[in-house]
Amino acid sequence: MNDFFRIPIGSWVAAAFDWIKATFDGTLDVISLVVKALVQGVADGLLAVPAPLLIIVLALLGWAVRSWQFGVGAALTLTLIIGMAQWENAMFTLALVLIATIIAVLIGVPLGILAAKSDGFSAVIRPILDFMQTMPALVYLIPAVTFFAVGFVPGVFATVLFALPPGVRFTELGIRGVDAETVEAGHAFGSTPGKILRGIQLPLAMPTILAGINQVIMLALSMAVIAGMAGANGLGKEVVSALATLNIAKGVEAGLAVVILAVFLDRLTAALGTPGEFTHSLRSALGRRRNARQRAARLEPAAAN
């Protein structure tokens, strides 16, 4: 029965991968060189900065967008990564996540805008996104390794595929959620669709879009660990090595470093989308001080009269 009713979907997909590899071999080589240079460049840049200085900068960034408590917590936990001798691996992982996130956002946000503008395009892309989100993450490594061998590049390729869907969905959701009367007011004042998009829809949808980018970062970080199986340097490779040798200590330290990076990036990007909720942040304090000076400047002439 199985031999009679056998649909060789896997063979067809494998043949398609072989055809893509043979037809676009030169293009894939160029993509591989560019992506590898980007990831290696960012990683080298992060490692060129002394670790204590980079931790101070990241802690100040956390204080600026969230709170001083978050800044202190970030400084302590990032220092713990140094203490576990995982700093270099963490920077490789962070570089991979940053490049993959940038690529996913550059692809996902325009697709989300198109989906919000066109019901037909939305109907087409929605099942594709469902497919991408439900496909087991490890499966993405198969075409990645087929096209780009092993190393950083297949890791970035697989991470982008895995992390892309939330960027598209949240962008579409945010733009479709903009108040229709506000958009109609823009039309009434003679604004072009492009101006309405840039001046009304994107700013009002920004919190939702940033929430989507937050999800992209989280999925990219989780996939970056799996990408260690494709030979990408970083914490994922440490976890895979620890699993292969049953080295519990190494596995725990690499895993804990991943958790620290994930929590830091999650809290940081979440705060960017809802700045009004974080009254203890440095930018909120500077904003209150600026408003107080402006009120005082307005009251001085009135008091003089």
Side-chain angles (χ1 to χ4, degrees):
M1 178 65 182
N2 286 339
D3 292 337
F4 176 73
F5 188 71
R6 176 76 170 87
I7 303 174
I9 294 178
S11 300
W12 296 343
V13 174
F17 284 167
D18 291 339
W19 178 81
I20 292 173
K21 174 68 176 171
T23 307
F24 300 103
D25 192 44
T27 304
L28 294 174
D29 287 344
V30 172
I31 294 173
S32 178
L33 287 173
V34 172
V35 173
K36 184 177 180 181
L38 286 174
V39 177
Q40 192 66 52
V42 173
D44 290 344
L46 290 171
L47 291 171
V49 181
L53 177 60
L54 187 55
I55 288 176
I56 291 173
V57 171
L58 294 176
L60 289 175
L61 185 61
W63 179 26
V65 302
R66 197 174 179 94
S67 67
W68 67 267
Q69 294 94 331
F70 177 67
V72 172
L76 293 175
T77 51
L78 291 172
T79 302
L80 180 60
I81 294 179
I82 298 178
M84 294 187 297
Q86 294 292 341
W87 182 255
E88 185 174 346
N89 291 321
M91 293 302 101
F92 278 124
T93 298
L94 184 59
L96 192 151
V97 169
L98 288 176
I99 295 300
T101 299
I102 290 171
I103 295 173
V105 170
L106 289 177
I107 298 172
V109 170
L111 288 178
I113 293 172
L114 284 176
K117 296 293 184 183
S118 168
D119 290 338
F121 183 74
S122 177
V124 170
I125 201 170
R126 199 168 295 166
I128 297 174
L129 296 176
D130 291 339
F131 173 84
M132 293 173 69
Q133 284 192 291
T134 51
M135 177 65 70
L138 283 173
V139 176
Y140 288 121
L141 289 181
I142 300 172
V145 173
T146 301
F147 295 152
F148 303 108
V150 296
F152 274 127
V153 183
V156 172
F157 179 82
T159 303
V160 169
L161 287 179
F162 186 64
L164 181 64
V168 182
R169 290 189 189 279
F170 277 73
T171 301
E172 180 185 1
L173 180 67
I175 292 178
R176 286 185 182 274
V178 173
D179 183 44
E181 292 183 359
T182 307
V183 177
E184 288 176 5
H187 285 296
F189 282 101
S191 298
T192 62
K195 288 183 177 178
I196 291 174
L197 176 65
R198 292 190 300 272
I200 297 176
Q201 291 175 312
L202 283 179
L204 292 177
M206 194 52 67
T208 306
I209 295 174
L210 286 173
I213 293 174
N214 173 273
Q215 292 300 305
V216 169
I217 292 173
M218 290 298 100
L219 289 177
L221 191 55
S222 65
M223 189 63 192
V225 174
I226 297 176
M229 295 183 181
N233 288 328
L235 297 169
K237 200 171 184 179
E238 287 289 288
V239 172
V240 173
S241 172
L243 183 63
T245 58
L246 292 180
N247 189 331
I248 297 175
K250 182 193 285 188
V252 169
E253 290 176 350
L256 184 55
V258 172
V259 171
I260 291 171
L261 279 184
V263 171
F264 176 75
L265 294 174
D266 177 56
R267 302 296 187 270
L268 191 72
T269 52
L272 290 174
T274 54
E277 296 179 5
F278 301 98
T279 56
H280 296 293
S281 67
L282 181 60
R283 62 178 174 176
S284 293
L286 293 175
R288 288 194 297 271
R289 183 174 296 182
R290 184 177 61 251
N291 293 335
R293 282 202 302 267
Q294 291 174 347
R295 282 196 299 273
R298 287 196 297 269
L299 290 174
E300 283 180 3
N305 292 333

PDB file of all heavy atoms in Angstrom, residues 74-110:
ATOM      1  N   ALA A  74      22.133  44.343  34.204  1.00  0.00           N
ATOM      2  CA  ALA A  74      22.827  43.984  32.957  1.00  0.00           C
ATOM      3  C   ALA A  74      24.329  43.928  33.183  1.00  0.00           C
ATOM      4  O   ALA A  74      25.006  43.002  32.696  1.00  0.00           O
ATOM      5  CB  ALA A  74      22.483  44.999  31.871  1.00  0.00           C
ATOM      6  N   ALA A  75      24.863  44.898  33.926  1.00  0.00           N
ATOM      7  CA  ALA A  75      26.318  44.915  34.180  1.00  0.00           C
ATOM      8  C   ALA A  75      26.747  43.663  34.953  1.00  0.00           C
ATOM      9  O   ALA A  75      27.762  43.036  34.618  1.00  0.00           O
ATOM     10  CB  ALA A  75      26.689  46.176  34.952  1.00  0.00           C
ATOM     11  N   LEU A  76      25.971  43.287  35.961  1.00  0.00           N
ATOM     12  CA  LEU A  76      26.339  42.122  36.774  1.00  0.00           C
ATOM     13  C   LEU A  76      26.259  40.818  35.975  1.00  0.00           C
ATOM     14  O   LEU A  76      27.159  39.975  36.038  1.00  0.00           O
ATOM     15  CB  LEU A  76      25.428  42.038  38.004  1.00  0.00           C
ATOM     16  CG  LEU A  76      25.599  43.172  39.044  1.00  0.00           C
ATOM     17  CD1 LEU A  76      24.553  43.040  40.148  1.00  0.00           C
ATOM     18  CD2 LEU A  76      27.003  43.152  39.623  1.00  0.00           C
ATOM     19  N   THR A  77      25.175  40.660  35.216  1.00  0.00           N
ATOM     20  CA  THR A  77      24.992  39.399  34.489  1.00  0.00           C
ATOM     21  C   THR A  77      25.967  39.276  33.311  1.00  0.00           C
ATOM     22  O   THR A  77      26.458  38.182  33.016  1.00  0.00           O
ATOM     23  CB  THR A  77      23.550  39.272  33.979  1.00  0.00           C
ATOM     24  OG1 THR A  77      23.190  40.467  33.260  1.00  0.00           O
ATOM     25  CG2 THR A  77      22.583  39.088  35.132  1.00  0.00           C
ATOM     26  N   LEU A  78      26.243  40.411  32.646  1.00  0.00           N
ATOM     27  CA  LEU A  78      27.226  40.359  31.557  1.00  0.00           C
ATOM     28  C   LEU A  78      28.624  40.073  32.103  1.00  0.00           C
ATOM     29  O   LEU A  78      29.428  39.387  31.456  1.00  0.00           O
ATOM     30  CB  LEU A  78      27.209  41.672  30.764  1.00  0.00           C
ATOM     31  CG  LEU A  78      25.934  41.916  29.936  1.00  0.00           C
ATOM     32  CD1 LEU A  78      25.934  43.324  29.347  1.00  0.00           C
ATOM     33  CD2 LEU A  78      25.803  40.883  28.822  1.00  0.00           C
ATOM     34  N   THR A  79      28.910  40.595  33.293  1.00  0.00           N
ATOM     35  CA  THR A  79      30.196  40.273  33.924  1.00  0.00           C
ATOM     36  C   THR A  79      30.272  38.780  34.247  1.00  0.00           C
ATOM     37  O   THR A  79      31.359  38.172  34.172  1.00  0.00           O
ATOM     38  CB  THR A  79      30.370  41.099  35.202  1.00  0.00           C
ATOM     39  OG1 THR A  79      30.283  42.490  34.880  1.00  0.00           O
ATOM     40  CG2 THR A  79      31.730  40.837  35.853  1.00  0.00           C
ATOM     41  N   LEU A  80      29.125  38.203  34.579  1.00  0.00           N
ATOM     42  CA  LEU A  80      29.092  36.761  34.848  1.00  0.00           C
ATOM     43  C   LEU A  80      29.504  35.963  33.608  1.00  0.00           C
ATOM     44  O   LEU A  80      30.159  34.913  33.725  1.00  0.00           O
ATOM     45  CB  LEU A  80      27.683  36.352  35.300  1.00  0.00           C
ATOM     46  CG  LEU A  80      27.476  34.863  35.628  1.00  0.00           C
ATOM     47  CD1 LEU A  80      28.388  34.425  36.761  1.00  0.00           C
ATOM     48  CD2 LEU A  80      26.007  34.605  35.990  1.00  0.00           C
ATOM     49  N   ILE A  81      29.138  36.465  32.426  1.00  0.00           N
ATOM     50  CA  ILE A  81      29.553  35.778  31.185  1.00  0.00           C
ATOM     51  C   ILE A  81      31.074  35.754  31.074  1.00  0.00           C
ATOM     52  O   ILE A  81      31.670  34.742  30.686  1.00  0.00           O
ATOM     53  CB  ILE A  81      28.929  36.472  29.955  1.00  0.00           C
ATOM     54  CG1 ILE A  81      27.409  36.319  29.967  1.00  0.00           C
ATOM     55  CG2 ILE A  81      29.501  35.888  28.666  1.00  0.00           C
ATOM     56  CD1 ILE A  81      26.711  36.985  28.802  1.00  0.00           C
ATOM     57  N   ILE A  82      31.721  36.872  31.439  1.00  0.00           N
ATOM     58  CA  ILE A  82      33.194  36.885  31.442  1.00  0.00           C
ATOM     59  C   ILE A  82      33.711  35.861  32.440  1.00  0.00           C
ATOM     60  O   ILE A  82      34.659  35.112  32.167  1.00  0.00           O
ATOM     61  CB  ILE A  82      33.718  38.288  31.793  1.00  0.00           C
ATOM     62  CG1 ILE A  82      33.266  39.310  30.746  1.00  0.00           C
ATOM     63  CG2 ILE A  82      35.244  38.290  31.894  1.00  0.00           C
ATOM     64  CD1 ILE A  82      33.700  40.720  31.058  1.00  0.00           C
ATOM     65  N   GLY A  83      33.079  35.833  33.623  1.00  0.00           N
ATOM     66  CA  GLY A  83      33.516  34.899  34.666  1.00  0.00           C
ATOM     67  C   GLY A  83      33.400  33.445  34.247  1.00  0.00           C
ATOM     68  O   GLY A  83      34.147  32.598  34.742  1.00  0.00           O
ATOM     69  N   MET A  84      32.476  33.168  33.319  1.00  0.00           N
ATOM     70  CA  MET A  84      32.316  31.785  32.855  1.00  0.00           C
ATOM     71  C   MET A  84      33.175  31.499  31.620  1.00  0.00           C
ATOM     72  O   MET A  84      33.049  30.433  31.002  1.00  0.00           O
ATOM     73  CB  MET A  84      30.838  31.521  32.516  1.00  0.00           C
ATOM     74  CG  MET A  84      29.920  31.582  33.727  1.00  0.00           C
ATOM     75  SD  MET A  84      28.223  31.067  33.360  1.00  0.00           S
ATOM     76  CE  MET A  84      27.725  32.320  32.182  1.00  0.00           C
ATOM     77  N   ALA A  85      34.015  32.483  31.224  1.00  0.00           N
ATOM     78  CA  ALA A  85      34.895  32.342  30.049  1.00  0.00           C
ATOM     79  C   ALA A  85      34.100  32.115  28.764  1.00  0.00           C
ATOM     80  O   ALA A  85      34.528  31.364  27.885  1.00  0.00           O
ATOM     81  CB  ALA A  85      35.907  31.216  30.275  1.00  0.00           C
ATOM     82  N   GLN A  86      32.938  32.760  28.691  1.00  0.00           N
ATOM     83  CA  GLN A  86      32.093  32.606  27.504  1.00  0.00           C
ATOM     84  C   GLN A  86      31.927  33.935  26.752  1.00  0.00           C
ATOM     85  O   GLN A  86      31.049  34.037  25.896  1.00  0.00           O
ATOM     86  CB  GLN A  86      30.700  32.078  27.914  1.00  0.00           C
ATOM     87  CG  GLN A  86      30.700  30.679  28.489  1.00  0.00           C
ATOM     88  CD  GLN A  86      31.046  29.633  27.450  1.00  0.00           C
ATOM     89  OE1 GLN A  86      30.955  29.876  26.248  1.00  0.00           O
ATOM     90  NE2 GLN A  86      31.479  28.456  27.897  1.00  0.00           N
ATOM     91  N   TRP A  87      32.751  34.937  27.088  1.00  0.00           N
ATOM     92  CA  TRP A  87      32.546  36.255  26.493  1.00  0.00           C
ATOM     93  C   TRP A  87      32.736  36.238  24.976  1.00  0.00           C
ATOM     94  O   TRP A  87      31.917  36.795  24.233  1.00  0.00           O
ATOM     95  CB  TRP A  87      33.493  37.276  27.140  1.00  0.00           C
ATOM     96  CG  TRP A  87      33.297  38.663  26.614  1.00  0.00           C
ATOM     97  CD1 TRP A  87      34.083  39.342  25.750  1.00  0.00           C
ATOM     98  CD2 TRP A  87      32.198  39.550  26.926  1.00  0.00           C
ATOM     99  NE1 TRP A  87      33.571  40.584  25.494  1.00  0.00           N
ATOM    100  CE2 TRP A  87      32.413  40.736  26.203  1.00  0.00           C
ATOM    101  CE3 TRP A  87      31.069  39.441  27.738  1.00  0.00           C
ATOM    102  CZ2 TRP A  87      31.542  41.827  26.273  1.00  0.00           C
ATOM    103  CZ3 TRP A  87      30.182  40.508  27.793  1.00  0.00           C
ATOM    104  CH2 TRP A  87      30.434  41.683  27.080  1.00  0.00           C
ATOM    105  N   GLU A  88      33.825  35.615  24.510  1.00  0.00           N
ATOM    106  CA  GLU A  88      34.092  35.588  23.067  1.00  0.00           C
ATOM    107  C   GLU A  88      32.973  34.854  22.323  1.00  0.00           C
ATOM    108  O   GLU A  88      32.491  35.325  21.292  1.00  0.00           O
ATOM    109  CB  GLU A  88      35.437  34.915  22.800  1.00  0.00           C
ATOM    110  CG  GLU A  88      35.853  34.958  21.337  1.00  0.00           C
ATOM    111  CD  GLU A  88      37.257  34.410  21.121  1.00  0.00           C
ATOM    112  OE1 GLU A  88      37.988  34.243  22.116  1.00  0.00           O
ATOM    113  OE2 GLU A  88      37.600  34.140  19.974  1.00  0.00           O
ATOM    114  N   ASN A  89      32.552  33.723  22.857  1.00  0.00           N
ATOM    115  CA  ASN A  89      31.451  32.989  22.219  1.00  0.00           C
ATOM    116  C   ASN A  89      30.166  33.811  22.223  1.00  0.00           C
ATOM    117  O   ASN A  89      29.394  33.787  21.257  1.00  0.00           O
ATOM    118  CB  ASN A  89      31.218  31.660  22.945  1.00  0.00           C
ATOM    119  CG  ASN A  89      32.360  30.684  22.747  1.00  0.00           C
ATOM    120  OD1 ASN A  89      32.915  30.606  21.662  1.00  0.00           O
ATOM    121  ND2 ASN A  89      32.728  29.966  23.789  1.00  0.00           N
ATOM    122  N   ALA A  90      29.930  34.535  23.323  1.00  0.00           N
ATOM    123  CA  ALA A  90      28.725  35.365  23.405  1.00  0.00           C
ATOM    124  C   ALA A  90      28.752  36.471  22.351  1.00  0.00           C
ATOM    125  O   ALA A  90      27.727  36.795  21.752  1.00  0.00           O
ATOM    126  CB  ALA A  90      28.598  35.964  24.800  1.00  0.00           C
ATOM    127  N   MET A  91      29.926  37.053  22.097  1.00  0.00           N
ATOM    128  CA  MET A  91      30.017  38.113  21.091  1.00  0.00           C
ATOM    129  C   MET A  91      29.805  37.558  19.685  1.00  0.00           C
ATOM    130  O   MET A  91      29.199  38.208  18.839  1.00  0.00           O
ATOM    131  CB  MET A  91      31.376  38.813  21.199  1.00  0.00           C
ATOM    132  CG  MET A  91      31.566  39.606  22.493  1.00  0.00           C
ATOM    133  SD  MET A  91      30.309  40.902  22.756  1.00  0.00           S
ATOM    134  CE  MET A  91      29.215  40.085  23.954  1.00  0.00           C
ATOM    135  N   PHE A  92      30.304  36.338  19.419  1.00  0.00           N
ATOM    136  CA  PHE A  92      30.034  35.707  18.116  1.00  0.00           C
ATOM    137  C   PHE A  92      28.524  35.489  17.946  1.00  0.00           C
ATOM    138  O   PHE A  92      27.958  35.757  16.881  1.00  0.00           O
ATOM    139  CB  PHE A  92      30.770  34.371  18.010  1.00  0.00           C
ATOM    140  CG  PHE A  92      32.214  34.503  17.600  1.00  0.00           C
ATOM    141  CD1 PHE A  92      33.227  33.976  18.380  1.00  0.00           C
ATOM    142  CD2 PHE A  92      32.561  35.156  16.425  1.00  0.00           C
ATOM    143  CE1 PHE A  92      34.566  34.096  18.000  1.00  0.00           C
ATOM    144  CE2 PHE A  92      33.898  35.278  16.042  1.00  0.00           C
ATOM    145  CZ  PHE A  92      34.900  34.752  16.832  1.00  0.00           C
ATOM    146  N   THR A  93      27.884  35.007  18.992  1.00  0.00           N
ATOM    147  CA  THR A  93      26.437  34.787  18.923  1.00  0.00           C
ATOM    148  C   THR A  93      25.685  36.102  18.754  1.00  0.00           C
ATOM    149  O   THR A  93      24.740  36.200  17.964  1.00  0.00           O
ATOM    150  CB  THR A  93      25.960  34.066  20.200  1.00  0.00           C
ATOM    151  OG1 THR A  93      26.595  32.794  20.277  1.00  0.00           O
ATOM    152  CG2 THR A  93      24.460  33.865  20.189  1.00  0.00           C
ATOM    153  N   LEU A  94      26.107  37.125  19.508  1.00  0.00           N
ATOM    154  CA  LEU A  94      25.449  38.425  19.399  1.00  0.00           C
ATOM    155  C   LEU A  94      25.601  38.989  17.984  1.00  0.00           C
ATOM    156  O   LEU A  94      24.645  39.554  17.429  1.00  0.00           O
ATOM    157  CB  LEU A  94      26.058  39.395  20.426  1.00  0.00           C
ATOM    158  CG  LEU A  94      25.416  40.783  20.518  1.00  0.00           C
ATOM    159  CD1 LEU A  94      23.938  40.681  20.871  1.00  0.00           C
ATOM    160  CD2 LEU A  94      26.156  41.641  21.551  1.00  0.00           C
ATOM    161  N   ALA A  95      26.787  38.824  17.383  1.00  0.00           N
ATOM    162  CA  ALA A  95      27.005  39.309  16.016  1.00  0.00           C
ATOM    163  C   ALA A  95      26.087  38.580  15.038  1.00  0.00           C
ATOM    164  O   ALA A  95      25.477  39.198  14.156  1.00  0.00           O
ATOM    165  CB  ALA A  95      28.470  39.109  15.624  1.00  0.00           C
ATOM    166  N   LEU A  96      25.983  37.267  15.187  1.00  0.00           N
ATOM    167  CA  LEU A  96      25.104  36.493  14.302  1.00  0.00           C
ATOM    168  C   LEU A  96      23.651  36.934  14.447  1.00  0.00           C
ATOM    169  O   LEU A  96      22.940  37.120  13.456  1.00  0.00           O
ATOM    170  CB  LEU A  96      25.262  35.007  14.619  1.00  0.00           C
ATOM    171  CG  LEU A  96      24.647  34.013  13.633  1.00  0.00           C
ATOM    172  CD1 LEU A  96      25.440  32.713  13.641  1.00  0.00           C
ATOM    173  CD2 LEU A  96      23.194  33.718  13.967  1.00  0.00           C
ATOM    174  N   VAL A  97      23.225  37.139  15.698  1.00  0.00           N
ATOM    175  CA  VAL A  97      21.841  37.550  15.945  1.00  0.00           C
ATOM    176  C   VAL A  97      21.586  38.941  15.361  1.00  0.00           C
ATOM    177  O   VAL A  97      20.537  39.195  14.745  1.00  0.00           O
ATOM    178  CB  VAL A  97      21.542  37.531  17.457  1.00  0.00           C
ATOM    179  CG1 VAL A  97      20.210  38.217  17.763  1.00  0.00           C
ATOM    180  CG2 VAL A  97      21.519  36.107  17.965  1.00  0.00           C
ATOM    181  N   LEU A  98      22.529  39.862  15.540  1.00  0.00           N
ATOM    182  CA  LEU A  98      22.341  41.223  15.032  1.00  0.00           C
ATOM    183  C   LEU A  98      22.220  41.230  13.509  1.00  0.00           C
ATOM    184  O   LEU A  98      21.309  41.864  12.955  1.00  0.00           O
ATOM    185  CB  LEU A  98      23.513  42.111  15.478  1.00  0.00           C
ATOM    186  CG  LEU A  98      23.552  42.479  16.960  1.00  0.00           C
ATOM    187  CD1 LEU A  98      24.816  43.280  17.278  1.00  0.00           C
ATOM    188  CD2 LEU A  98      22.317  43.280  17.347  1.00  0.00           C
ATOM    189  N   ILE A  99      23.117  40.519  12.811  1.00  0.00           N
ATOM    190  CA  ILE A  99      23.069  40.505  11.347  1.00  0.00           C
ATOM    191  C   ILE A  99      21.790  39.816  10.866  1.00  0.00           C
ATOM    192  O   ILE A  99      21.108  40.311   9.949  1.00  0.00           O
ATOM    193  CB  ILE A  99      24.313  39.794  10.777  1.00  0.00           C
ATOM    194  CG1 ILE A  99      25.573  40.602  11.111  1.00  0.00           C
ATOM    195  CG2 ILE A  99      24.190  39.636   9.261  1.00  0.00           C
ATOM    196  CD1 ILE A  99      25.590  42.006  10.563  1.00  0.00           C
ATOM    197  N   ALA A 100      21.455  38.676  11.463  1.00  0.00           N
ATOM    198  CA  ALA A 100      20.241  37.963  11.055  1.00  0.00           C
ATOM    199  C   ALA A 100      18.997  38.815  11.314  1.00  0.00           C
ATOM    200  O   ALA A 100      18.067  38.840  10.498  1.00  0.00           O
ATOM    201  CB  ALA A 100      20.136  36.632  11.804  1.00  0.00           C
ATOM    202  N   THR A 101      18.975  39.527  12.434  1.00  0.00           N
ATOM    203  CA  THR A 101      17.816  40.368  12.754  1.00  0.00           C
ATOM    204  C   THR A 101      17.697  41.523  11.760  1.00  0.00           C
ATOM    205  O   THR A 101      16.592  41.832  11.284  1.00  0.00           O
ATOM    206  CB  THR A 101      17.948  40.930  14.182  1.00  0.00           C
ATOM    207  OG1 THR A 101      17.987  39.845  15.102  1.00  0.00           O
ATOM    208  CG2 THR A 101      16.782  41.827  14.519  1.00  0.00           C
ATOM    209  N   ILE A 102      18.817  42.147  11.427  1.00  0.00           N
ATOM    210  CA  ILE A 102      18.772  43.256  10.467  1.00  0.00           C
ATOM    211  C   ILE A 102      18.251  42.775   9.113  1.00  0.00           C
ATOM    212  O   ILE A 102      17.386  43.402   8.493  1.00  0.00           O
ATOM    213  CB  ILE A 102      20.178  43.887  10.321  1.00  0.00           C
ATOM    214  CG1 ILE A 102      20.546  44.642  11.599  1.00  0.00           C
ATOM    215  CG2 ILE A 102      20.226  44.835   9.124  1.00  0.00           C
ATOM    216  CD1 ILE A 102      21.987  45.106  11.642  1.00  0.00           C
ATOM    217  N   ILE A 103      18.749  41.629   8.649  1.00  0.00           N
ATOM    218  CA  ILE A 103      18.283  41.087   7.364  1.00  0.00           C
ATOM    219  C   ILE A 103      16.792  40.741   7.444  1.00  0.00           C
ATOM    220  O   ILE A 103      16.018  41.060   6.532  1.00  0.00           O
ATOM    221  CB  ILE A 103      19.106  39.841   6.985  1.00  0.00           C
ATOM    222  CG1 ILE A 103      20.570  40.232   6.733  1.00  0.00           C
ATOM    223  CG2 ILE A 103      18.522  39.181   5.736  1.00  0.00           C
ATOM    224  CD1 ILE A 103      21.496  39.038   6.507  1.00  0.00           C
ATOM    225  N   ALA A 104      16.377  40.107   8.545  1.00  0.00           N
ATOM    226  CA  ALA A 104      14.969  39.723   8.690  1.00  0.00           C
ATOM    227  C   ALA A 104      14.064  40.953   8.736  1.00  0.00           C
ATOM    228  O   ALA A 104      12.969  40.950   8.153  1.00  0.00           O
ATOM    229  CB  ALA A 104      14.784  38.891   9.965  1.00  0.00           C
ATOM    230  N   VAL A 105      14.508  42.011   9.398  1.00  0.00           N
ATOM    231  CA  VAL A 105      13.692  43.228   9.472  1.00  0.00           C
ATOM    232  C   VAL A 105      13.639  43.923   8.113  1.00  0.00           C
ATOM    233  O   VAL A 105      12.577  44.405   7.687  1.00  0.00           O
ATOM    234  CB  VAL A 105      14.272  44.182  10.540  1.00  0.00           C
ATOM    235  CG1 VAL A 105      13.608  45.555  10.464  1.00  0.00           C
ATOM    236  CG2 VAL A 105      14.061  43.592  11.930  1.00  0.00           C
ATOM    237  N   LEU A 106      14.767  43.960   7.403  1.00  0.00           N
ATOM    238  CA  LEU A 106      14.786  44.598   6.076  1.00  0.00           C
ATOM    239  C   LEU A 106      13.873  43.872   5.094  1.00  0.00           C
ATOM    240  O   LEU A 106      13.331  44.490   4.176  1.00  0.00           O
ATOM    241  CB  LEU A 106      16.224  44.625   5.537  1.00  0.00           C
ATOM    242  CG  LEU A 106      17.182  45.590   6.231  1.00  0.00           C
ATOM    243  CD1 LEU A 106      18.589  45.467   5.649  1.00  0.00           C
ATOM    244  CD2 LEU A 106      16.687  47.028   6.109  1.00  0.00           C
ATOM    245  N   ILE A 107      13.711  42.574   5.271  1.00  0.00           N
ATOM    246  CA  ILE A 107      12.796  41.817   4.406  1.00  0.00           C
ATOM    247  C   ILE A 107      11.371  41.844   4.965  1.00  0.00           C
ATOM    248  O   ILE A 107      10.399  42.043   4.231  1.00  0.00           O
ATOM    249  CB  ILE A 107      13.268  40.353   4.272  1.00  0.00           C
ATOM    250  CG1 ILE A 107      14.650  40.300   3.613  1.00  0.00           C
ATOM    251  CG2 ILE A 107      12.270  39.537   3.463  1.00  0.00           C
ATOM    252  CD1 ILE A 107      15.270  38.910   3.615  1.00  0.00           C
ATOM    253  N   GLY A 108      11.241  41.660   6.279  1.00  0.00           N
ATOM    254  CA  GLY A 108       9.926  41.462   6.886  1.00  0.00           C
ATOM    255  C   GLY A 108       9.058  42.712   6.931  1.00  0.00           C
ATOM    256  O   GLY A 108       7.846  42.636   6.664  1.00  0.00           O
ATOM    257  N   VAL A 109       9.658  43.860   7.255  1.00  0.00           N
ATOM    258  CA  VAL A 109       8.834  45.081   7.377  1.00  0.00           C
ATOM    259  C   VAL A 109       8.230  45.495   6.026  1.00  0.00           C
ATOM    260  O   VAL A 109       7.019  45.767   5.956  1.00  0.00           O
ATOM    261  CB  VAL A 109       9.668  46.217   8.012  1.00  0.00           C
ATOM    262  CG1 VAL A 109       8.911  47.544   7.923  1.00  0.00           C
ATOM    263  CG2 VAL A 109       9.981  45.884   9.467  1.00  0.00           C
ATOM    264  N   PRO A 110       9.005  45.536   4.930  1.00  0.00           N
ATOM    265  CA  PRO A 110       8.360  45.852   3.641  1.00  0.00           C
ATOM    266  C   PRO A 110       7.279  44.845   3.255  1.00  0.00           C
ATOM    267  O   PRO A 110       6.231  45.229   2.715  1.00  0.00           O
ATOM    268  CB  PRO A 110       9.536  45.815   2.651  1.00  0.00           C
ATOM    269  CG  PRO A 110      10.738  46.123   3.476  1.00  0.00           C
ATOM    270  CD  PRO A 110      10.469  45.466   4.793  1.00  0.00           C
TER     271      PRO A 110
END
